[in-house]
């Protein structure tokens, strides 16, 4: 841990340095400790006093020391959590669009957060229209809302899978471009396995602009193997996928009355080291549900490049 003056007054009067020199010292200290392989914690001394006196400079001192923490914040954390400014019900979404103060205690942009209008049948047309910059009463908005209602009845859920929602919406708007086709795939698992780390194997065949590519991979589970094989096949065409990895994987049984034949919902969170996005897949086959979520995850990344 190292301490740095976040107050312009303390920097000039106590340390006797210029404001720019103070920023340089913070940045150089953080970089030096990090380059030595040490964990860096920056204690921004007098931050709130500095904020009251010169908010812009106080933030600059934080930016000068900025570590990637590699810590996932809890989504329900007040103010900074992903759910802090999330709105689902149609009435809430409609109201916050008319007057943000009606359901938000502060502008989320002031604390580096952002508003989320969760995509679901409950969210109504207001949320869909706002997310896609469409008119609330447009035919496109109505069609997308109807499709979401239909899919949710089948077990799909888009409020936690906004990347899948965007892909679905682009298809309805005629803006979607499929970068590849997963022609066929096969996944097998072996137990007991020769290696505790590699018990599953996957084979895939993809088609990109008429060119076929076949790849195989092994993993510590069927989904891990399928993910590895799919990205191995596609990285020959899209090297940017080398930075993508799964950061979370969740499975939910939709209706338990069918026991092991029940449909499952798979939610996948992916990251490329900068952005984070979530996708969903639904099927009575957990591998196929995972396949749907994986394909959406890769398509979303390629569409964002």
């Amino acid at each position: 841990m190292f301490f740095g003056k976040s107050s312009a007054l303390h920097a000039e009067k106590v340390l006797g340095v210029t404001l720019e020199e103070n920023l340089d010292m913070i940045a150089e200290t953080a970089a030096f400790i990090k380059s030595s392989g040490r964990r860096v914690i920056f204690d921004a001394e007098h931050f709130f006093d500095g904020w009251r006196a010169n908010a812009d400079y106080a933030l600059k001192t934080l930016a000068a020391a900025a570590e990637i923490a590699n810590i996932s914040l809890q989504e329900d954390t007040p103010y900074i959590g992903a759910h802090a400014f999330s709105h689902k019900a149609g009435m809430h979404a409609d109201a916050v669009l008319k007057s943000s103060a009606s359901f938000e205690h502060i502008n989320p942009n002031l604390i580096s957060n952002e508003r989320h209008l969760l995509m679901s049948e409950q969210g109504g047309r207001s949320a869909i229209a706002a997310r896609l910059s469409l008119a609330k009463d447009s035919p496109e908005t109505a069609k997308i809302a109807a499709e979401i209602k239909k899919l949710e009845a089948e077990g799909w859920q888009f409020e936690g899978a906004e990347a899948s929602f965007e892909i679905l919406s682009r298809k309805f708007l005629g803006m979607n471009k499929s970068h590849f086709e997963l022609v066929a795939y096969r996944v097998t698992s072996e137990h007991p396995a020769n290696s505790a780390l590699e018990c599953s194997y996957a084979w895939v065949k993809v088609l990109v602009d008429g060119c076929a590519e076949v790849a195989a991979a092994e993993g510590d589970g069927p989904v891990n193997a399928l993910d590895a094989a799919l990205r191995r096949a596609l990285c020959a065409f899209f090297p940017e996928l080398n930075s993508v990895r799964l950061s979370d994987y969740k499975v939910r049984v939709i209706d338990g009355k069918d026991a092991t034949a029940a449909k499952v919902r798979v939610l996948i969170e992916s990251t490329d080291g900068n952005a984070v996005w979530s996708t969903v897949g639904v099927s009575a086959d957990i591998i196929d549900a995972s396949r749907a979520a994986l394909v959406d995850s890769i398509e979303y990344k390629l569409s964002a490049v």
Side-chain angles (χ1 to χ4, degrees), residues 13-258:
K13 301 299 182 182
V14 177
L15 295 182
V17 298
T18 67
L19 299 187
E20 286 303 318
E21 286 174 332
N22 184 49
L23 294 178
D24 289 341
M25 288 192 297
I26 293 172
E28 290 169 5
T29 302
F32 174 76
I33 298 174
K34 186 67 175 176
S35 67
S36 302
R38 304 290 297 276
R39 181 185 180 193
V40 182
I41 299 177
F42 173 54
D43 189 323
E45 279 193 305
H46 310 288
F47 178 79
F48 292 104
D49 289 336
W51 172 270
R52 282 192 290 268
N54 188 333
D56 182 61
Y57 185 75
L59 288 177
K60 285 182 178 179
T61 63
L62 299 185
E67 301 85 274
I68 294 175
N70 197 28
I71 297 174
S72 296
L73 297 173
Q74 287 185 266
E75 293 184 335
D76 58 355
T77 303
Y79 289 96
I80 57 175
H83 292 169
F85 297 92
S86 294
H87 307 277
K88 178 178 179 179
M91 180 185 72
H92 284 199
D94 187 58
V96 81
L97 290 171
K98 292 175 179 175
S99 175
S100 61
S102 62
F103 283 98
E104 291 178 347
H105 48 289
I106 190 175
N107 183 342
N109 295 327
L110 295 177
I111 49 176
S112 298
N113 207 334
E114 58 184 9
R115 178 182 303 140
H116 296 280
L117 299 179
L118 302 181
M119 296 301 111
S120 72
E121 189 270 332
Q122 291 184 33
R125 297 188 186 185
S126 295
I128 294 172
R131 178 63 181 268
L132 302 175
S133 300
L134 298 172
K136 181 179 176 180
D137 57 353
S138 71
E140 293 82 4
T141 301
K143 288 179 182 178
I144 294 172
E147 182 67 9
I148 288 177
K149 183 176 182 178
K150 170 180 162 294
L151 290 174
E152 287 193 343
E154 297 174 2
W156 294 76
Q157 186 180 75
F158 295 95
E159 63 181 71
E162 295 188 354
S164 287
F165 168 79
E166 289 200 17
I167 292 174
L168 172 70
S169 301
R170 287 200 292 261
K171 289 178 181 177
F172 272 84
L173 297 175
M175 300 168 57
N176 187 63
K177 176 191 175 184
S178 294
H179 294 81
F180 68 96
E181 178 187 355
L182 178 55
V183 178
Y185 71 95
R186 183 183 302 125
V187 179
T188 60
S189 292
E190 178 184 352
H191 297 282
N194 294 327
S195 169
L197 297 178
E198 297 163 347
C199 62
S200 296
Y201 312 90
W203 168 92
V204 301
K205 180 178 181 180
V206 299
L207 203 61
V208 179
D209 292 333
C211 298
E213 182 74 18
V214 175
E218 52 191 3
D220 58 6
V223 178
N224 178 233
L226 178 59
D227 175 45
L230 192 53
R231 288 194 289 118
R232 181 173 292 176
L234 291 171
C235 279
F237 304 96
F238 310 107
E240 57 268 33
L241 293 179
N242 282 307
S243 64
V244 177
R245 64 178 179 84
L246 267 60
S247 54
D248 198 7
Y249 176 86
K250 299 174 184 174
V251 180
R252 297 289 183 269
V253 175
I254 295 172
D255 189 344
K257 72 174 188 274
D258 293 325

